[in-house]
Amino acid sequence: MIANTANNQRPIFERPILETPFYESYKHLIQNDQYEEWSGYTTLASFANDGQEYFAVRNTCGVYDLCPMIKYDISGADAERYMNRLVTRNIKKMLPERVTYTVWCNDDGHVIEDGTVFRLAPTEFRLCCAERQIEWLLDSSIGYDVVITEVTQDIAALAVQGPISCNILKKMGFTGVEVLKPFQLGNFSLNGYDVMISRTGFTGDLGYELWIDAEHADDLWQALFKAGELFGIRMIGSLALDMLRIEAGLILVNVEYMSCFQTVRPNRARTPFELGLDWVVDMNKGHFIGRRALVAAQKNSLKRKLVGIDVDWNKQADGALLYDSKTCSRQIGEVTSALWSPTLKRNIALAYLDAPYYAGEKSMWAEVYLHRECQWERKVYECHVTPKPFYAPERKRLTPPEDL
Amino acid sequence: MTTDQYDAVIIGAGHNGLVAACYLQRAGLRVLVLERNEHIGGATTSISRYKDYTYSNCSYVYSLFRQEIARTLELYKYGLQVIPYEGGSQIIKNPDGSYDSMGTYWHDDANRREIERFSPRDANAYERLNRDIVRQCRFIKPLLMRTPPDPTSFKPRDIMELLYLGKRFYGMGKEQMLETIRFYTMSVGDYLNEYLENDALKSYLAGGATVGTALGVYSPGTAYILLHHAMGDIDGTVGAWGFARGGMGSVASALNDSFLASGGHVRVNAGVSKFIVQNGKVKGMQLENGETVKAKLVVSGMDVRRTFNAIDSNELPAWVVDRVSNFRFRGSSGKVNIALDGLPGFHGVPEGSPCLSGDIHISQSLEELELAYDDWKAGRWSQKPYLDMLIPSLIDPTMAPEGKHWMSVFVQYCPYKLAAGEWNEERKQAFGEHIVDCISAFSPDFRSKFLHMEIRTPKDIEDETGLSEGNIFQGELTMDQLMFNRPIPGYAQYRSPISGLYMCGSSTHPGGGVMGAPGANAAREVLRDLGRGVQQ
Ligand SMILES: Cc1cc2nc3c(=O)[nH]c(=O)nc-3n(C[C@H](O)[C@H](O)[C@H](O)COP(=O)(O)OP(=O)(O)OC[C@H]3O[C@@H](n4cnc5c(N)ncnc54)[C@H](O)[C@@H]3O)c2cc1C
């Protein structure tokens, strides 16, 4: 029942923002001081060149420091029952050593967050997300025999992503890593400590995430970068990651939606259906938090939905409002994330569209403001609904991955 | 002085009187302000009482003042500068006798990590608490600058206004509507207990909900007073508080200068003793010095008791006199302003901590706060009072000599009537000494830095500023005394039973605090009756 957080002896004001356990290891690679705070940690928007960092993941191997990710360990006799009530997916069907992507809702059927559930053992789970929510986890666990502990500071994690990621891990000595299927995890060891490896990621490419006790962070990092040296391994920052996740069609909390725990305005919370995440909601698994409201919501047609769109031009439609006509007379949606995709050579975006526009049968236009040589220009481009993910290479699913 | 000279006379140069005066003068009226004291400002003053130190004698922190008023009246042009403060320290005495402190940080993650030291759960719950309070603020904020509707009236305007209220309420959604009803009826103690587990954090937040109110943390109806701390903002930062550079008197002096610049006149040492009323119409007033001032339009910034006491009861409906006499003041707060020879240290606050620049608190639990209230009921000042301590000179260099400091100490509870007998100099000194003792228990070097103090019991507050019974808000801010009940049902729209006599002080909607809203709303109603528009 009790949440634990490793403490820091120095007064907070002397150290308001923490460094991750890997910071000392990679600090020599930081070339342009593009720091960015994430969840109380110093992270990097880019290390040297965000374009090259992006291509590392699509071409060789890019490594992203995942430590600030919020992690909760949930264990106990009722762990499965509790998790199954907490999240929308069927946890009973989930085998140990598997990972699943899911959302969890409040009783109104509004999304608290999306994230991943790791089933470490039959009665042990780990929930990974971006926002802290220990209060909700504890409150919703009343009556269940579970222990919930925040382990964010205790566990260090790296995402190792890209076509050559498997080769590098094999070279590090993680034999058998190649048989991990997508969303499967395995336990390995390195220099005498445990390394949990999951075939997961936020890039839409072949990739793995490595999880260790924070104290071994430097050792793992050194071993990884030594093994990857000749393969073009490099650290990547959040700018590159954002490009990758948009291509993969993955949503981001506080960008595509806000947690219903944080919305102040009454109509800002979103259901999983509005986020286009019907596929993670198992309405047949029995009761879960928010089910009743979602059953009711299903009876009505969806007013708005998050979809992928293509914009017929080459300038990113960041923050664009979407209209029913070229004259922009009626707003029918808005862009949440936009990207000129260097791999697809397409101008893609995630956008909310009102009914019936999200079905993709009607034409629509994006109003884009471009800042060109210190002057704003307004442009209107036609756009089309297009399936997500925008980019899903075969290697993402191939097991074992190609040996390059 | 004749009627021809002035179109309107404002009684009292409190900040609300001055706000009303500014709006009326700017609307083209010729306006005179009559102030009883030799200084302006009412409860918004900075008067030096000791050497080169300047105190904010009564009110001490700025947040509630409506930005639209500051903008329209161009207060920045007349010297008003508001600097938000960062920090805050809740000092904690551990069961083993050692000390710690919970600091408040502007940085969300730093703040979270600080609370996590005591309760990871509370660090998270605190965010939800803040969100829920912001949700409530969104409901109430737009009502501040509107005249409350009369729920019994069938005038289109009242009906429209009631509809507006209803629409806002229903617009919150079902869950939030239910929450709102609970919120307005709960005690702050029960409310916080639903979110938080840590005593220090709870008492840090709860104390503020009793300020100026003779209720305890477990009295129903206190939860909503939390809004008073959250509904203000500085430059859009919701809930932020700050210091007016030079002390709160700069709010009054900026208003005064704005008023004078637009052609208005202010007379100090001109206390009103009686309104002159004929045939239900105001004709002017008699001053304490015997002088008569004629006026057809009078706006009183005095509290409702003083305003009506200055009218012959013969001229008033009996129920109004009765209602007014039942309007609750019940002074419950004191104030001590202390000049210090240097910055005092506090147990449990690490050296170099920026958290001393904010509000410092030493109450340990809700139970301790409830006991403090028990003392008030028994007619004693609290043994362990809720103290809201700030050291403005840490941020504002103009208020104390270099390297020196002054501390503003707001004290809850201190009774207007002592069980032991009348307030006198000796009891007043004993009260002040008690507060210094309370602080010294948490600040070992406080006594050695002590130079001077200005002690203000509720009695002093009444005598000096005219706030009846020393109630800091011109009457308690409880649900039964708000909105269309403030100050009394039927006269909540700034008018009175006397034609030509209006009210603009904190006794009117939306109530006390250095907010300016009552003054601005009253001016709007006056101009409405005159068929004139108000400057936006
Ligand atoms: C100790 C203390 C601390 C406070 N702290 C804060 C704070 O930190 N922040 C905050 O926002 N609010 C605070 N408040 C509340 C706030 O200061 C008051 O609610 C507000 O200033 C009241 O303003 P007003 O203009 O309505 O009335 P007042 O300021 O009371 O003005 C009334 C004026 O009328 C004059 N007057 C009275 N009788 C007569 C007469 N017969 N003839 C002529 N003139 C007369 C008075 O002298 C006075 O100038 C505090 C109040 C006190 C007392």
Side-chain angles (χ1 to χ4, degrees):
Chain A
M1 268 287 297
I2 286 311
N4 145 69
T5 308
N7 259 328
N8 205 292
Q9 292 310 309
R10 279 161 71 188
I12 303 282
F13 61 84
E14 285 183 12
R15 224 185 150 189
I17 303 175
L18 300 172
E19 286 153 4
T20 83
F22 294 111
Y23 182 79
E24 290 297 325
S25 325
Y26 60 57
K27 132 176 130 177
H28 64 285
L29 297 175
I30 301 171
Q31 286 183 13
N32 46 10
D33 287 1
Q34 281 204 34
Y35 295 98
E36 185 180 76
E37 197 208 334
W38 173 24
S39 192
Y41 289 85
T42 297
T43 61
L44 276 301
S46 86
F47 280 77
N49 175 337
D50 49 298
Q52 289 302 313
E53 289 162 23
Y54 159 84
F55 277 113
V57 172
R58 293 285 181 247
N59 179 41
T60 56
C61 179
V63 177
Y64 186 72
D65 182 354
L66 272 184
C67 296
M69 192 95 184
I70 313 299
K71 301 169 278 284
Y72 296 105
D73 275 1
I74 297 148
S75 62
D78 286 338
E80 182 189 272
R81 227 160 56 82
Y82 169 69
M83 290 306 290
N84 208 35
R85 174 168 174 262
L86 179 75
V87 307
T88 55
R89 273 196 131 160
N90 193 341
I91 298 299
K92 284 205 176 112
K93 280 197 198 156
M94 190 180 177
L95 297 172
E97 307 206 327
R98 299 292 302 183
V99 185
T100 191
Y101 170 76
T102 185
V103 297
W104 48 104
C105 297
N106 66 4
D107 285 301
D108 298 333
H110 288 139
V111 175
I112 295 168
E113 229 201 295
D114 64 317
T116 44
V117 174
F118 290 64
R119 188 160 200 171
L120 308 176
T123 58
E124 276 176 48
F125 293 86
R126 180 169 298 156
L127 181 69
C128 290
C129 48
E131 297 285 312
R132 287 183 170 77
Q133 41 205 302
I134 191 72
E135 191 204 11
W136 173 249
L137 296 181
L138 292 176
D139 285 356
S140 60
S141 74
I142 295 172
Y144 291 80
D145 180 8
V146 288
V147 178
I148 301 173
T149 321
E150 180 175 346
V151 293
T152 307
Q153 294 206 30
D154 310 331
I155 289 178
L158 289 176
V160 181
Q161 308 274 308
I164 305 196
S165 53
C166 187
N167 293 49
I168 295 174
L169 295 183
K170 279 193 290 189
K171 194 168 169 208
M172 283 172 82
F174 296 125
T175 345
V177 72
E178 67 280 3
V179 302
L180 288 181
K181 296 196 204 87
F183 288 102
Q184 192 182 359
L185 66 85
N187 293 299
F188 299 83
S189 73
L190 181 74
N191 304 332
Y193 56 87
D194 295 337
V195 182
M196 183 175 93
I197 302 181
S198 56
R199 186 161 167 192
T200 47
F202 201 52
T203 61
D205 218 303
L206 171 67
Y208 301 84
E209 289 171 334
L210 277 49
W211 312 81
I212 52 162
D213 277 349
E215 57 179 306
H216 304 297
D218 185 55
D219 189 78
L220 177 75
W221 193 91
Q222 300 300 346
L224 177 66
F225 272 70
K226 190 153 177 284
E229 207 176 357
L230 300 176
F231 291 101
I233 195 170
R234 66 190 293 164
M235 288 301 293
I236 70 164
S238 62
L239 289 170
L241 187 72
D242 203 47
M243 296 167 72
L244 296 158
R245 70 99 192 163
I246 295 172
E247 284 181 341
L250 298 168
I251 61 169
L252 192 58
V253 65
N254 298 327
V255 178
E256 267 67 44
Y257 72 103
M258 250 179 97
S259 168
C260 62
F261 282 163
Q262 286 171 26
T263 55
V264 173
R265 290 160 186 84
N267 56 356
R268 293 298 194 277
R270 298 281 178 260
T271 66
F273 307 143
E274 289 172 309
L275 292 176
L277 293 175
D278 325 41
W279 59 278
V280 302
V281 184
D282 185 343
M283 297 300 268
N284 302 318
K285 71 168 186 172
H287 181 73
F288 61 89
I289 300 171
R291 184 176 184 277
R292 220 173 277 181
L294 292 175
V295 168
Q298 269 183 329
K299 294 202 178 106
N300 304 317
S301 64
L302 210 51
K303 283 207 190 96
R304 78 170 88 70
K305 190 173 170 182
L306 188 76
V307 294
I309 60 169
D310 246 328
V311 183
D312 293 351
W313 186 242
N314 60 6
K315 293 287 182 275
Q316 276 185 205
D318 291 296
L321 299 182
L322 302 172
Y323 293 89
D324 63 336
S325 59
K326 192 159 191 197
T327 52
C328 299
S329 47
R330 193 166 66 88
Q331 193 195 329
I332 49 114
E334 66 186 274
V335 166
T336 55
S337 295
L339 177 73
W340 167 259
S341 163
T343 299
L344 301 165
K345 307 295 179 215
R346 270 167 60 193
N347 195 12
I348 58 175
L350 295 171
Y352 278 109
L353 287 177
D354 293 343
Y357 291 86
Y358 56 70
E361 281 142 20
K362 295 192 152 201
S363 44
M364 64 191 90
W365 281 264
E367 184 185 39
V368 182
Y369 287 81
L370 300 175
H371 201 212
R372 286 172 155 165
E373 299 179 357
C374 296
Q375 190 172 313
W376 286 101
E377 292 173 19
R378 175 180 174 274
K379 300 280 175 192
V380 179
Y381 305 127
E382 191 163 7
C383 10
H384 308 276
V385 174
T386 171
K388 289 183 298 169
F390 303 99
Y391 177 67
E394 201 194 339
R395 62 176 178 251
K396 185 186 161 200
R397 308 208 62 83
L398 198 65
T399 311
E402 226 178 324
D403 202 2
L404 293 167
Chain B
M1 211 175 291
T2 65
T3 335
D4 304 323
Q5 214 178 330
Y6 295 104
D7 302 313
V9 178
I10 312 282
I11 315 302
H15 82 283
N16 278 315
L18 290 169
V19 166
C22 285
Y23 276 101
L24 296 182
Q25 182 72 36
R26 281 170 179 251
L29 272 59
R30 292 162 302 167
V31 181
L32 169 70
V33 176
L34 296 175
E35 166 57 47
R36 189 187 59 157
N37 284 330
E38 64 177 355
H39 57 261
I40 58 154
T44 313
T45 53
S46 336
I47 300 164
S48 179
R49 302 283 187 203
Y50 176 75
K51 293 189 177 165
D52 293 336
Y53 290 77
T54 310
Y55 300 144
S56 280
N57 313 77
C58 285
S59 59
Y60 50 102
V61 281
Y62 179 108
S63 172
L64 301 169
F65 200 82
R66 308 317 306 154
Q67 283 180 7
E68 50 268 58
I69 301 174
R71 187 176 57 225
T72 306
L73 305 182
E74 303 169 290
L75 298 189
Y76 76 93
K77 218 163 115 180
Y78 301 103
L80 178 63
Q81 211 184 327
V82 178
I83 303 128
Y85 64 73
E86 184 188 357
S89 300
Q90 167 67 43
I91 301 173
I92 296 162
K93 187 169 185 182
N94 294 317
D96 67 0
S98 65
Y99 291 88
D100 199 341
S101 69
M102 187 191 285
T104 305
Y105 294 92
W106 161 85
H107 192 284
D108 284 346
D109 282 304
N111 206 46
R112 169 185 54 74
R113 285 177 52 218
E114 177 74 341
I115 302 175
E116 276 179 355
R117 294 201 302 123
F118 302 91
S119 162
R121 186 186 194 287
D122 280 7
N124 191 209
Y126 184 63
E127 291 173 14
R128 185 169 63 95
L129 173 70
N130 281 332
R131 178 210 63 182
D132 287 351
I133 291 175
V134 171
R135 281 184 177 176
Q136 294 297 343
C137 284
R138 280 178 53 82
F139 170 60
I140 199 166
K141 249 176 141 168
L143 309 181
L144 300 176
M145 288 292 281
R146 301 172 80 99
T147 301
D150 180 344
T152 63
S153 148
F154 290 104
K155 280 192 215 143
R157 181 170 171 229
D158 287 307
I159 292 170
M160 290 305 288
E161 197 60 25
L162 276 173
L163 280 175
Y164 171 82
L165 257 179
K167 218 175 118 196
R168 285 201 69 79
F169 186 60
Y170 281 94
M172 292 202 274
K174 191 173 142 198
E175 183 200 0
Q176 198 56 26
M177 275 158 61
L178 294 172
E179 264 310 301
T180 301
I181 293 168
R182 266 164 53 76
F183 181 66
Y184 277 88
T185 50
M186 270 178 112
S187 75
V188 66
D190 289 330
Y191 185 70
L192 293 174
N193 280 332
E194 288 191 357
Y195 291 83
L196 306 170
E197 60 188 12
N198 182 268
D199 280 335
L201 183 56
K202 281 190 276 192
S203 63
Y204 181 69
L205 297 168
T210 61
V211 162
T213 314
L215 292 173
V217 289
Y218 282 112
S219 309
T222 46
Y224 105 90
I225 305 179
L226 284 173
L227 295 189
H228 257 260
H229 293 259
M231 76 191 172
D233 64 314
I234 293 180
D235 308 323
T237 306
V238 178
W241 285 81
F243 294 120
R245 196 166 190 268
M248 287 302 272
S250 3
V251 177
S253 68
L255 285 166
N256 188 56
D257 291 352
S258 173
F259 177 56
L260 299 183
S262 60
H265 292 167
V266 177
R267 278 181 66 188
V268 292
N269 295 316
V272 169
S273 57
K274 211 80 199 148
F275 288 111
I276 304 163
V277 180
Q278 276 168 19
N279 303 326
K281 289 196 181 102
V282 71
K283 295 288 172 193
M285 43 257 133
Q286 196 151 46
L287 303 192
E288 283 164 357
N289 64 11
E291 193 186 326
T292 306
V293 178
K294 286 191 197 163
K296 278 193 258 178
L297 177 53
V298 178
V299 186
S300 171
M302 301 185 288
D303 67 39
V304 62
R305 181 183 289 177
R306 276 178 195 270
T307 302
F308 281 80
N309 280 354
I311 306 170
D312 190 337
S313 292
N314 250 338
E315 302 287 344
L316 293 167
W319 72 267
V320 169
V321 179
D322 184 44
R323 276 284 186 168
V324 169
S325 70
N326 284 326
F327 188 75
R328 274 179 288 100
F329 288 89
R330 306 200 298 174
S332 57
S333 327
K335 176 93 195 282
V336 183
N337 300 311
I338 303 170
L340 296 164
D341 201 22
L343 185 66
F346 284 88
H347 282 311
V349 178
E351 197 154 333
S353 170
C355 298
L356 286 183
S357 314
D359 45 346
I360 307 165
H361 298 223
I362 55 177
S363 297
Q364 300 295 306
S365 66
L366 293 176
E367 285 61 37
E368 187 183 306
L369 290 169
E370 187 67 14
L371 286 174
Y373 175 46
D374 289 344
D375 284 329
W376 178 86
K377 284 186 272 182
R380 300 184 296 259
W381 55 76
S382 305
Q383 244 354 80
K384 289 187 172 178
Y386 166 72
L387 300 183
D388 189 31
M389 299 181 275
L390 286 119
I391 309 174
S393 46
L394 274 171
I395 289 179
D396 182 347
T398 70
M399 299 195 80
E402 199 185 326
K404 316 282 179 190
H405 292 284
W406 82 276
M407 189 191 236
S408 165
V409 187
F410 185 91
V411 184
Q412 190 78 12
Y413 304 77
C414 181
Y416 172 65
K417 281 205 176 100
L418 288 174
E422 293 294 310
W423 277 105
N424 57 26
E425 195 50 35
E426 191 189 333
R427 290 186 176 122
K428 176 174 165 170
Q429 288 305 323
F431 167 67
E433 283 302 320
H434 175 63
I435 300 307
V436 176
D437 283 342
C438 290
I439 301 169
S440 303
F442 290 85
S443 169
D445 60 353
F446 197 78
R447 280 273 175 202
S448 69
K449 303 256 156 76
F450 179 95
L451 294 173
H452 169 266
M453 71 175 150
E454 176 188 29
I455 308 167
R456 310 199 122 199
T457 69
K459 185 78 179 85
D460 302 312
I461 294 174
E462 177 181 66
D463 292 346
E464 288 175 38
T465 64
L467 289 161
S468 293
E469 297 182 33
N471 183 287
I472 70 166
F473 296 135
Q474 287 200 351
E476 287 188 290
L477 296 180
T478 50
M479 272 317 274
D480 60 315
Q481 300 200 141
L482 288 178
M483 287 291 290
F484 30 72
N485 293 325
R486 193 169 185 88
I488 59 169
Y491 291 103
Q493 298 181 332
Y494 309 96
R495 294 171 184 80
S496 76
I498 307 297
S499 166
L501 177 64
Y502 296 79
M503 292 174 281
C504 74
S506 297
S507 285
T508 60
H509 171 79
V514 181
M515 193 166 4
N521 290 346
R524 192 181 56 237
E525 292 303 320
V526 169
L527 292 171
R528 203 187 159 80
D529 287 353
L530 294 176
R532 296 193 190 215
V534 63
Q535 185 187 356
Q536 293 300 324

